[in-house]
Amino acid sequence: MAKTKPGKKDLDSYTIKGTNKIVRPGDCVLMRPSDSDKPPYVARVEKIEADHRNNVKVRVRWYYRPEESMGGRRQFHGAKELFLSDHYDVQSAHTIEGKCIVHSFKNYTKLENVGAEDYFCRFEYKAATGGFTPDRVAVYCKCEMPYNPDDLMVQCEGCKDWFHPSCMGMTIEEAKKLEHFLCSDCSSDDDAKRSLNSFPVSPSIEAKDEDIIERLS
């Protein structure tokens, strides 16, 4: 069993300097970057410990933003999307600026309002190789892109696929006013069967039945 190093003790919590916010292992935090022009780093606190001088350190597991990954930011990445990496580090607790919440992708898509401290994660990222887990996801629309929760999509009442208004030659405003939507493939079918009065305006995260996938690696 691993022993705590001499002179160090594990802490159950840490109060962020200048605030009344309490951080505990398992919490997600915003950490001050060395370059003040950059946004704060996001990390999950794994362990909190203090040395004999009461200097508090945190062992963290970093989240990467898409632009920090090898592949860079892609069209389907959300503005608040993060990747949980396999990169661990030890930092001074004084670099913690605040707390945040990293939601699952499913829970994030259900938020009524996305706050400044709300993020989401649907992939784990291997920092050394640039690999992702999972390495493929369902794709939608005729552009065959994974779902970006920042983009409005509409569901075809015929085939049940989801489409970007722009890919269908519509503005977002026009799409929001629609009571019924049929994609170009289904619009030539018999309209008499269409009796639905409304349709949802964001896809659920469940993959489609069709085996259409987007490789990420």
Side-chain angles (χ1 to χ4, degrees):
M1 189 171 176
K3 294 182 179 179
T4 305
K5 292 178 182 177
K8 292 187 177 181
K9 61 180 180 180
D10 289 350
L11 302 179
D12 293 331
S13 64
Y14 168 77
T15 302
I16 299 173
K17 196 175 179 181
T19 76
N20 59 357
K21 292 182 178 178
I22 297 172
V23 174
R24 294 182 172 87
D27 287 346
C28 294
V29 294
L30 302 168
M31 305 193 78
R32 186 168 56 251
S34 53
D35 184 346
S36 59
D37 292 334
K38 290 184 176 180
Y41 297 125
V42 182
R44 189 172 74 191
V45 175
E46 303 289 315
K47 188 177 181 182
I48 307 171
E49 63 181 26
D51 64 17
H52 64 286
R53 294 178 180 173
N54 222 28
N55 294 316
V56 182
K57 301 270 188 182
V58 286
R59 176 172 167 79
V60 298
R61 184 176 180 181
W62 293 113
Y63 283 95
Y64 279 44
R65 288 181 170 83
E67 53 268 26
E68 296 164 345
S69 69
M70 287 187 185
R73 180 172 286 278
R74 298 175 65 179
Q75 185 180 340
F76 64 87
H77 290 141
K80 306 300 290 288
E81 183 156 6
L82 302 170
F83 310 142
L84 181 61
S85 78
D86 56 356
H87 178 187
Y88 292 83
D89 210 350
V90 176
Q91 296 282 319
S92 168
H94 290 315
T95 61
I96 298 175
E97 294 183 334
K99 294 178 72 176
C100 63
I101 303 171
V102 181
H103 301 270
S104 70
F105 185 51
K106 187 173 186 176
N107 289 345
Y108 182 84
T109 61
K110 293 178 178 178
L111 292 179
E112 291 284 329
N113 296 295
V114 177
E117 295 175 352
D118 288 313
Y119 296 86
F120 73 90
C121 176
R122 56 179 155 179
F123 301 114
E124 291 194 14
Y125 176 68
K126 295 180 175 62
T129 64
F132 288 93
T133 305
D135 67 349
R136 54 184 72 185
V137 290
V139 297
Y140 301 90
C141 190
K142 65 180 185 181
C143 65
E144 297 195 351
M145 291 295 289
Y147 176 41
N148 180 342
D150 300 333
D151 294 340
L152 175 81
M153 296 184 84
V154 293
Q155 188 177 33
C156 173
E157 293 175 6
C159 63
K160 304 301 182 185
D161 200 357
W162 293 87
F163 296 87
H164 301 107
S166 59
C167 294
M168 296 288 103
M170 292 184 291
T171 66
I172 290 174
E173 290 69 28
E174 288 169 340
K176 287 180 178 177
K177 292 175 184 175
L178 285 176
E179 289 189 12
H180 306 280
F181 170 68
L182 289 173
C183 70
S184 53
D185 288 341
C186 294
S187 59
S188 58
D189 293 345
D190 184 4
D191 288 346
K193 298 175 185 174
R194 316 300 176 206
S195 59
L196 298 178
N197 293 319
S198 63
F199 60 90
V201 290
S202 62
S204 66
I205 70 149
E206 283 77 18
K208 294 186 310 175
D209 291 336
E210 290 90 347
D211 191 26
I212 303 175
I213 51 178
E214 164 82 0
R215 287 192 174 275
L216 298 175
S217 56

